[in-house]
DNA sequence: GTCGACGGGATTGTCGACAATCCCGTCGGC
DNA sequence: GCCGACGGGATTGTCGACAATCCCGTCGAC
């Protein structure tokens, strides 16, 4: 709960508050079932309660928190069965995206993706987990946008957001970050060479770690 | 624009306003690109502008309208390419849902779906397009919920909501309503007998009419 | 001793009013 | 005559304050 605000901008808009809370959830500073109280957040972010409220609405739309009327907001907790379902659907959609992506990717688009990945590399090298998280999102967004179906790309992004609530288990691990980085480079190589089979396989494997980490964390929690 | 409010409840909550506007879009009373002005809506629904604003946020989340900061809200217009992409993704997800649905469906669940379809039948028989629309949504929700993956069911529902903005072209047609009704019954029969191939085929065919109707309406519009 | 009514405190939800922004018709200068 | 600054009007965005709701500890009755 004690957490200095990071608002350097003159006005802490709802989007900034939502992003900060999103990171708190991803990095486990807010654990599942934890309650979010509007006035506390308003004080922490030096924002009005209206903006906090709007931010909570955003997070609810992303599936990261749950709001119960007149009762407040909680960080959403996912059961094992839900994690399995979520991963299965992500696998389906990301595989589909890989299969319909035009290959090999034009050099101009490849360059954009390489630029995004350079940002990710830098963040990982610097050990900046927060920046790595954001850069990772940006790379994935750019990558799946290339599948040619905006609705598919949006659905994939939405599911990835939902998975944030379970990803906290995997993300702080530097080895996982490095592995993610390597996989991104392998994906770029497959895009460049037009290796569709490899690309599809990479996409499937890429989301396995977070699922496994969650299951591990969950079983550790249950046995504790 | 002239449209009596249908609020019989003492308080017109945001959800009710959103539902009414959703229907206006589905039935073509609000056409694509039409502007939605908060104060006008507040007067029409005898609600506060706050509630109207919340309703607009809901509709934006459903992809039915577009909001531009400081500029207001418009009914969202979809291009032909977007319609194709939307339909392709719906096809993928609904086919997947049909393929993983446990068959044959237990009698208790079948009874629930039959009850929902009875409501749809009644609305179609009565020629009540509004009720038919709602009952159709309820049947689809109940149907796809049976696929065993809540995220898949939710994604399907979200895409169906988005399709509302293009469905207006098909919905007022009584023949289409009757056909939809028949297809629902065929789906129920497939669920009962465990005919997975038939079920999958039915799901695919079931969303073809709205796409075709949209393309027809679009070409008619372009040639006008 | 247990159960149900009651109230204080904390928290969320809603309202009216004001401030900020944008569009567009108008005007003055070059 | 055309271009850019300017203001009026319409519309959206934000604030502070108040009302509604809920949780939970307390008390009294059976």
């Amino acid at each position: 709960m004690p957490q200095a605000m990071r608002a350097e901008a003159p006005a802490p808009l709802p989007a900034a508050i939502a992003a900060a809370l999103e990171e708190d959830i991803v990095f486990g500073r807010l654990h599942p079932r934890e309650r979010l109280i509007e006035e506390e957040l308003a004080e922490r972010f030096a924002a009005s309660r209206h903006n906090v409220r709007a931010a909570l609405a955003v997070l609810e739309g992303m599936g990261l928190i749950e709001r119960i009327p007149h009762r407040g907001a909680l960080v959403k907790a996912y059961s094992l069965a839900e994690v399995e379902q979520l991963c299965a659907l992500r696998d389906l959609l990301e595989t589909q995206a890989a299969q319909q992506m035009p290959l090999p990717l034009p050099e101009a688009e490849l360059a954009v993706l390489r630029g995004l990945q350079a940002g990710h590399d830098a963040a990982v090298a610097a050990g900046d987990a927060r920046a790595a998280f954001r850069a990772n999102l940006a790379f994935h967004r750019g990558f799946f946008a290339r599948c040619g179906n905006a609705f598919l790309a949006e659905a994939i992004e939405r599911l990835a957001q939902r998975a944030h609530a379970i990803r906290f288990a995997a993300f702080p691990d530097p080895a996982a970050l490095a592995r993610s980085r390597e996989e991104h480079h392998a994906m770029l190589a497959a895009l460049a060479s037009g290796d569709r089979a490899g690309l599809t396989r990479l996409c499937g494997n890429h989301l396995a770690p977070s699922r496994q980490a969650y299951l591990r964390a969950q079983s550790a929690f249950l046995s504790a």
Side-chain angles (χ1 to χ4, degrees), chain A:
Chain A
M1 173 181 16
Q3 163 74 17
M5 57 185 164
R6 66 189 63 86
E8 73 287 349
L13 347 190
I17 299 174
L21 290 174
E22 179 187 14
E23 290 175 2
D24 284 350
I25 292 172
V26 170
F27 291 116
R29 281 190 293 267
L30 289 172
H31 58 80
R33 295 274 175 214
E34 184 159 349
R35 218 178 139 188
L36 296 171
I37 287 151
E38 295 180 358
E39 208 143 2
E40 279 181 22
L41 298 174
E43 189 179 2
R44 167 177 157 195
F45 291 106
S48 74
R49 204 154 68 78
H50 294 275
N51 285 337
V52 170
R53 186 168 259 274
L56 292 180
V58 170
L59 293 173
E60 183 182 25
M62 299 198 311
L64 289 181
I65 69 172
E66 198 174 356
R67 290 178 94 184
I68 304 166
H70 297 283
R71 301 257 320 247
L74 328 179
V75 178
K76 186 150 183 182
Y78 285 95
S79 69
L80 269 73
E82 285 173 319
V83 171
E84 293 290 357
Q85 293 175 9
L86 183 52
C87 290
L89 185 53
R90 291 185 73 191
D91 197 359
L92 173 71
L93 294 186
E94 298 195 3
T95 298
Q96 175 66 26
Q99 280 174 355
Q100 73 182 56
M101 204 172 287
L103 289 186
L105 206 61
E107 183 54 38
E109 302 187 354
L110 255 176
V112 172
L113 290 183
R114 288 204 182 99
L116 290 173
Q117 183 50 32
H120 187 232
D121 291 348
V124 172
D128 184 342
R130 182 186 311 282
F133 169 64
R134 290 287 162 204
N136 183 61
L137 289 185
F139 177 78
H140 279 211
R141 178 182 297 119
F143 177 78
F144 286 111
R146 305 268 54 80
C147 77
N149 186 326
F151 298 95
L152 178 54
E154 185 197 312
I156 288 172
E157 187 169 350
R158 269 183 72 80
L159 291 171
Q161 285 175 337
R162 292 210 153 195
H164 290 168
I166 68 171
R167 190 181 294 184
F168 78 93
F171 222 95
D173 178 10
L177 275 180
R179 174 176 168 173
S180 173
R181 195 189 79 87
E182 287 164 19
E183 288 177 346
H184 286 186
H185 282 283
M187 288 155 79
L188 287 171
L191 285 174
S193 67
D195 175 11
R196 186 175 304 281
L199 186 67
T200 305
R201 183 176 41 76
L202 283 165
C203 286
N205 291 343
H206 193 51
L207 47 75
S210 79
R211 170 170 159 277
Q212 289 169 0
Y214 176 79
L215 298 181
R216 223 180 305 119
Q218 187 77 4
S219 62
F221 173 75
L222 291 176
S223 65

